Amino acid sequence: MTTIQDVARAAGVSAMTVSNVINGHPNVRPATKERVMAAMTRLDYRVNVAARNLRKGRTGTIGLAVPEIDRPYYGRLAAAIIAAAARHGLRVAVEQTGAVRENELEALSLSRNRLYDGLILSTVGLGPADVDRLKVDHPLVILGERIFGGPVDHVAMPNVDGARAATRHLIDRGCRRIALVCGPRTGETDVSGLRRTGYTQALEEAGLPLDPDLVRTVDRLTMAAGARAARALASDDPGVDGVFCVTDTVAMGVLRGLADAGARVPDDVKVIGFDDVEESAYLVPSLSTIDPDHDLMAARAVDLLAARIDRPEQPLEREEFVSPYRVVARESTATGATGSRADRRP
Amino acid sequence: MTTIQDVARAAGVSAMTVSNVINGHPNVRPATKERVMAAMTRLDYRVNVAARNLRKGRTGTIGLAVPEIDRPYYGRLAAAIIAAAARHGLRVAVEQTGAVRENELEALSLSRNRLYDGLILSTVGLGPADVDRLKVDHPLVILGERIFGGPVDHVAMPNVDGARAATRHLIDRGCRRIALVCGPRTGETDVSGLRRTGYTQALEEAGLPLDPDLVRTVDRLTMAAGARAARALASDDPGVDGVFCVTDTVAMGVLRGLADAGARVPDDVKVIGFDDVEESAYLVPSLSTIDPDHDLMAARAVDLLAARIDRPEQPLEREEFVSPYRVVARESTATGATGSRADRRP
DNA sequence: TTGTATGCGTTATCAA
DNA sequence: TTGATAACGCATACAA
């Protein structure tokens, strides 16, 4: 393994000069620079990143902790975050927490161990009771849900407003008996709780009653659970004509479950999701949804983190960014003639 | 920032003893150990991973380079690899190459820089001409395709056999005019090329002609491209009654495109994919496909890499593991009555 | 059972 | 424009 010293010896200069060449510092005579470069090539020199990290007190890597990288929403988010981080010269190590509280805390402690320069934590398992655990002295950005009054930077989804818009969209399209498929309520600040609030608000605003029988809670926000919920909904037959699903993944399962039960979408039942995962545009029927602008969220999260990394002296005010959103109307909430061509990307 | 020295001072021992406690070495008197642990807690000591890495010559992190993490297939693979790596005590940094050759080479060089202890490279852009670039002296596992005679370890998909089985499945279900939707042919060893070979073999075995008009090449293996190909196929109308798509992602697009064109699946056209992405079971109609056992592939790739990391003295024989596969028959290739319930996970 | 001394490879400081 | 020196924090021989 050739070190900077070997190169220095071979080029007849000091290690310092080699270092200066590597890091593109000025004040190196062109001739010297060339000699050093030649030596590096000849010896096939590679920097030792571990040594550089130790010296600089930086690792150049940030952590990204998500429940599961193979869920479309987190995949999309991760892709955007990795791309944004690359623009800052940062690499991204992905941790999977399985949405388990302990694992989320574990990810926090890895970051505390200076394994990462900072951490983007997409928390699902932590509740308001854990707010104290987030008072850490290293760069941390919470992503995806709003922790009210939390002492940390966070980039949040427009959960309440987006859910309200989604529900209103169903109402606008003529639905009156609108079901909600959501995850278990673990507090006021989790995704399901917030989106449920938006759903409730929209019903109230429209003067529609809130029927508890139409609120279906699934244990996990998966396609399998969504399909089960939809089949149950169809067999209980409470006269549903619209379904708001808290995530597109659940909505995909719901579409499948409704098909199993023989319900036609959108003729019998209209369905809308939340997230605008790539798949949604290509389903049959294509899925209406709320698009929270993932790329913008990812960019903000990384920018925020990078800023904290660059200026460790903590300005006390924490930043909160709530992404804008838009309603994406597709076939699953179409009125009139069905079979219209999908809203799709080119 | 408290170091091991600070802890040593506070506990009245040497740094060595603290190190022994941290690493769980024997030969530390319980009383001493307790004193050290107390000091660590009191001072909120955290190991400096960078220093440890430099000392040990290991980073504890492996790289995973994939085209795009938000494509379902790579998401699934990444999830399995991260989980498998965690079992080895390794973290995973994800690089996105966008299937671009230069970026794949870049990932290789990051690993060479000892940023990672090893690299799992899911290459799409590298061709046989680049085989020399893979002759590296650090742990490397190529994932997902077979590089014949390549000088590296690789874990491969059962590309040819799986594709043949998929095509035969369509033939068994009565298809005679079977289209292929695949990516551009960049050589004999890329995914599209290999699966195309399997397709050709199955046709030959069944005595069916190979009609060039039925082979549709798309520039990228995305849903959008699949949808376009399907619409083109339908409007050209070469009398297709079956479609084998080289990936499930493309197949999702094809299903969408066929729906746009008014073709019914499976009544008019049967469709089968390759990969068994989670979404496939929940589409309407659910998608028949080839399941290559992702978890097994991921585990083998990580095991192989971990073994190379642990024993850097290179045994010259390189390992090649080809995953087993199974045909998953779902609605998209069903015969007779449609609307049968999907094969789905519980 | 514990401590001392040394070096991993790099870069910042400061002097030449 | 270049170089000598000294850390960064940890873990390993080896000594006690």
Side-chain angles (χ1 to χ4, degrees):
Chain A
M1 194 178 54
T2 97
T3 75
I4 214 171
Q5 301 287 355
D6 301 328
V7 176
R9 230 183 331 268
V13 297
S14 77
M16 201 51 240
T17 301
V18 178
S19 175
N20 283 335
V21 170
I22 292 170
N23 297 289
H25 285 186
N27 299 342
V28 178
R29 211 188 319 163
T32 314
K33 182 172 174 178
E34 211 155 312
R35 234 170 47 246
V36 170
M37 303 251 272
M40 290 200 295
T41 309
R42 186 150 40 83
L43 300 180
D44 192 33
Y45 168 77
R46 308 285 159 183
V47 290
N48 182 321
V49 183
R52 175 181 287 174
N53 287 345
L54 174 59
R55 180 63 234 224
K56 292 204 165 183
R58 292 273 176 86
T59 68
T61 299
I62 64 174
L64 169 65
V66 295
E68 287 160 348
I69 192 72
D70 58 341
R71 299 240 286 269
Y73 169 66
Y74 294 112
R76 182 125 163 52
L77 204 57
I81 284 175
I82 292 170
R87 287 195 292 274
H88 284 270
L90 293 166
R91 280 162 300 281
V92 178
V94 177
E95 310 269 341
Q96 294 192 114
T97 62
V100 175
R101 178 172 169 279
E102 286 68 32
N103 295 341
E104 294 183 351
L105 291 174
E106 165 73 11
L108 268 174
S109 92
L110 281 175
S111 176
R112 198 179 300 126
N113 288 359
R114 292 190 279 303
L115 214 174
Y116 307 134
D117 290 343
L119 178 71
I120 295 179
L121 175 60
S122 186
T123 173
V124 178
L126 297 183
D130 296 303
V131 158
D132 277 354
R133 314 292 291 260
L134 300 177
K135 285 179 184 160
V136 295
D137 59 356
H138 57 267
L140 170 69
V141 171
I142 298 292
L143 184 62
E145 69 181 288
R146 186 193 302 242
I147 300 210
F148 293 101
V152 290
D153 295 308
H154 54 275
V155 172
M157 301 274 275
N159 284 312
V160 176
D161 290 352
R164 188 170 52 201
T167 309
R168 192 165 22 191
H169 175 72
L170 289 173
I171 296 170
D172 291 346
R173 295 290 166 104
C175 301
R176 288 300 171 265
R177 297 275 298 161
I178 300 174
L180 169 71
V181 179
C182 62
R185 184 178 212 136
T186 57
E188 297 303 314
T189 60
D190 62 301
V191 183
S192 284
L194 293 168
R195 295 184 185 172
R196 180 178 179 153
T197 300
Y199 162 82
T200 308
Q201 287 180 359
L203 292 183
E204 270 174 13
E205 286 167 16
L208 293 175
L210 174 63
D211 181 349
D213 197 34
L214 295 185
V215 176
R216 300 298 171 116
T217 301
V218 297
D219 51 345
R220 298 186 56 218
L221 299 177
T222 61
M223 287 180 280
R228 277 195 300 273
R231 288 194 293 268
L233 206 49
S235 71
D236 296 354
D237 194 22
V240 168
D241 58 9
V243 184
F244 166 47
C245 308
V246 291
T247 73
D248 278 9
T249 297
V250 167
M252 287 181 64
V254 164
L255 288 178
R256 178 66 240 185
L258 290 174
D260 291 338
R264 291 169 307 161
V265 177
D267 305 83
D268 302 331
V269 185
K270 301 194 196 311
V271 177
I272 189 166
F274 198 123
D275 283 344
D276 196 24
V277 153
E278 194 187 1
E279 285 77 4
S280 299
Y282 296 93
L283 298 175
V284 182
S286 56
L287 180 66
S288 296
T289 187
I290 300 297
D291 171 10
D293 202 336
H294 301 86
D295 291 341
L296 182 59
M297 289 182 65
R300 289 298 291 251
V302 173
D303 290 349
L304 203 48
L305 197 66
R308 297 288 182 201
I309 291 171
D310 290 339
R311 303 180 283 98
E313 68 288 354
Q314 310 272 2
L316 275 182
E317 345 76 49
R318 299 304 185 157
E319 265 197 51
E320 169 177 339
F321 172 74
V322 179
S323 172
Y325 68 90
R326 62 189 187 90
V327 178
V328 182
R330 299 204 183 98
E331 290 170 354
S332 68
T333 57
T335 55
T338 66
S340 64
R341 288 169 65 99
D343 158 64
R344 83 183 71 80
R345 296 145 200 234
Chain B
M1 196 179 49
T2 96
T3 76
I4 216 172
Q5 300 288 353
D6 301 329
V7 176
R9 230 182 333 266
V13 298
S14 78
M16 185 63 233
T17 301
V18 178
S19 176
N20 283 335
V21 169
I22 292 170
N23 297 290
H25 285 188
N27 298 343
V28 179
R29 212 187 318 163
T32 315
K33 181 172 176 181
E34 211 155 313
R35 233 170 48 248
V36 170
M37 304 253 272
M40 290 201 295
T41 309
R42 186 150 41 83
L43 300 179
D44 193 33
Y45 169 76
R46 308 284 159 185
V47 290
N48 182 321
V49 183
R52 176 181 287 174
N53 287 345
L54 174 58
R55 182 60 234 242
K56 292 200 165 185
R58 293 275 174 84
T59 67
T61 300
I62 63 174
L64 170 65
V66 295
E68 287 162 346
I69 192 72
D70 58 342
R71 298 239 286 269
Y73 168 67
Y74 294 111
R76 182 125 163 51
L77 205 57
I81 284 174
I82 292 170
R87 288 195 291 273
H88 283 271
L90 293 166
R91 280 162 299 282
V92 178
V94 178
E95 309 271 341
Q96 295 191 117
T97 62
V100 174
R101 177 172 171 280
E102 286 68 32
N103 294 341
E104 294 182 350
L105 291 174
E106 165 74 9
L108 267 174
S109 92
L110 281 176
S111 177
R112 198 179 301 124
N113 289 358
R114 293 190 273 305
L115 214 176
Y116 306 134
D117 291 341
L119 178 71
I120 295 179
L121 175 60
S122 188
T123 173
V124 178
L126 296 184
D130 295 304
V131 157
D132 277 354
R133 315 292 291 259
L134 301 177
K135 284 180 184 161
V136 295
D137 59 355
H138 57 266
L140 170 68
V141 172
I142 298 291
L143 185 62
E145 69 180 288
R146 187 193 301 242
I147 300 209
F148 294 101
V152 291
D153 296 309
H154 54 275
V155 171
M157 300 274 277
N159 284 314
V160 177
D161 290 351
R164 188 171 52 199
T167 310
R168 191 164 21 186
H169 175 72
L170 290 174
I171 297 170
D172 290 345
R173 295 291 167 105
C175 301
R176 289 299 171 267
R177 296 277 298 161
I178 301 174
L180 169 71
V181 180
C182 62
R185 184 175 212 139
T186 58
E188 297 302 314
T189 60
D190 62 303
V191 184
S192 284
L194 293 169
R195 295 185 185 173
R196 181 177 179 154
T197 300
Y199 162 82
T200 309
Q201 288 179 359
L203 292 183
E204 271 175 12
E205 286 167 15
L208 292 175
L210 174 62
D211 181 349
D213 197 34
L214 295 185
V215 175
R216 300 299 172 118
T217 301
V218 296
D219 51 344
R220 296 185 57 217
L221 299 176
T222 61
M223 287 179 280
R228 277 195 300 272
R231 288 193 293 268
L233 206 48
S235 71
D236 296 353
D237 193 21
V240 168
D241 57 8
V243 184
F244 166 46
C245 308
V246 290
T247 72
D248 277 9
T249 297
V250 167
M252 287 180 63
V254 165
L255 288 179
R256 178 66 240 183
L258 291 173
D260 290 339
R264 291 168 307 159
V265 177
D267 304 83
D268 302 331
V269 186
K270 301 194 197 311
V271 177
I272 190 167
F274 198 124
D275 284 346
D276 196 24
V277 153
E278 194 187 2
E279 285 77 5
S280 300
Y282 295 93
L283 298 175
V284 183
S286 57
L287 179 66
S288 297
T289 188
I290 300 296
D291 171 9
D293 203 335
H294 301 84
D295 292 341
L296 181 59
M297 289 181 64
R300 289 299 291 253
V302 174
D303 289 349
L304 203 48
L305 196 66
R308 297 288 183 202
I309 292 171
D310 290 339
R311 302 180 282 99
E313 68 289 355
Q314 310 272 2
L316 275 182
E317 343 78 50
R318 299 303 185 158
E319 266 197 48
E320 169 178 339
F321 172 74
V322 179
S323 172
Y325 69 90
R326 62 191 187 89
V327 178
V328 182
R330 299 205 182 98
E331 290 169 355
S332 68
T333 57
T335 55
T338 67
S340 64
R341 290 169 66 99
D343 158 65
R344 84 182 71 78
R345 295 146 200 232

